[in-house]
Amino acid sequence: MLTVGLTGGIGSGKSTVSALLASHGAVIIDYDKLAREVVEPGSPALQAIAERFGSGVIAADGTLDRPALGAVVFADESARRDLEAITHPAIRDLAVARQLAAGDDAIVIHDNPLLVEMGAAAHCDVVVVVDVPVDLQVERLKATRDMSEDEARSRIATQASRQERTGAADLLIDNTGPIDELDSIVGGVWDELVLRAAAAEGAGRDSAL
Ligand code: ADP
């Protein structure tokens, strides 16, 4: 097995890269999905969130009211840290279970927007970072997610800086070009991951002898 951390700032193109890697045969662990799973009704994390943030963040049907919680945590760093202290351990546990289920031959992608922020990069064999300048992140968020300039910039400001993220990279994907260029860059990254997986397997066999 080869474990790969994939990250990128919001709007950088990380999800697009993840989908391309899946089409090559990677097993994807999508942390945005895990983040939703751990707060499903009845979960310990949702209970803890209700205790910390009050019933105003729980919708009438018992699910998490994401916009209400978002309004609190994106405006208040200590509230965000409290939320992360509740959800991140649960997300990590679920990710470990998914990785174990993937099988020995898998190339497993930890598709995690907060890979660097969670300190998870160190636990991956390879870290892949999708990189664009902040102004291009803002431009793509405005064009595709209906965000205002201010909204986009304040969301970006809650994440690791471009420098922190690229500093953690083993393989850097420059996504400033058009989509078809990204397609061929990701093809090259996949070939490299396959080589590294084979090398890791060979090394494992040698040490087992
Ligand atoms: P992230 O997962 O990093 O937030 P996405 O993969 O969702 O980013 O990409 C954000 C938006 O930008 C999407 O609508 C996507 O289709 C678009 N996009 C991604 N890469 C490119 C590119 N190279 N050129 C133009 N648009 C792109």
Side-chain angles (χ1 to χ4, degrees):
M1 177 182 289
L2 188 76
T3 61
V4 181
L6 172 66
T7 196
I10 181 171
S12 63
K14 175 189 63 63
S15 304
T16 309
V17 169
S18 180
L20 289 168
L21 290 170
S23 75
H24 286 285
V27 173
I28 309 293
I29 301 176
D30 177 339
Y31 279 61
D32 285 335
K33 274 194 199 147
L34 298 188
R36 286 191 290 274
E37 277 183 56
V38 299
V39 296
E40 277 171 1
S43 63
L46 187 61
Q47 176 71 33
I49 288 169
E51 280 164 19
R52 164 63 178 84
F53 296 97
S55 55
V57 301
I58 308 297
D61 63 0
T63 60
L64 182 62
D65 184 339
R66 294 184 162 276
L69 183 61
V72 178
V73 300
F74 284 116
D76 176 349
E77 193 176 331
S78 81
R80 192 169 69 249
R81 289 194 196 286
D82 287 349
L83 175 64
E84 289 172 354
I86 295 168
T87 57
H88 284 184
I91 292 170
R92 272 191 213 104
D93 288 349
L94 211 47
V96 168
R98 296 285 154 87
Q99 180 173 307
L100 284 173
D104 287 347
D105 295 339
I107 294 179
V108 176
I109 310 288
H110 290 264
D111 171 357
N112 183 356
L114 300 180
L115 188 84
V116 171
E117 293 85 339
M118 287 172 78
H123 304 298
C124 299
D125 297 323
V126 184
V127 174
V128 177
V129 172
V130 187
D131 182 51
V132 297
V134 170
D135 285 348
L136 188 52
Q137 272 178 279
V138 172
E139 199 180 297
R140 288 192 182 149
L141 289 172
K142 281 162 69 180
T144 64
R145 304 236 180 117
D146 208 23
M147 281 193 195
S148 70
E149 172 97 20
D150 283 355
E151 237 175 324
R153 289 198 185 272
S154 72
R155 291 292 293 269
I156 290 166
T158 67
Q159 299 190 322
S161 70
R162 186 180 179 198
Q163 208 172 9
E164 284 167 325
R165 212 179 292 106
T166 55
D170 297 305
L171 300 174
L172 201 61
I173 294 180
D174 175 348
N175 187 24
T176 52
I179 287 277
D180 55 344
E181 195 174 307
L182 181 64
D183 204 343
S184 79
I185 293 171
V186 173
V189 166
W190 176 253
D191 291 345
E192 174 66 26
L193 295 178
V194 169
L195 284 176
R196 291 195 187 203
E201 200 187 319
R205 248 200 322 272
D206 289 349
S207 64
L209 288 173

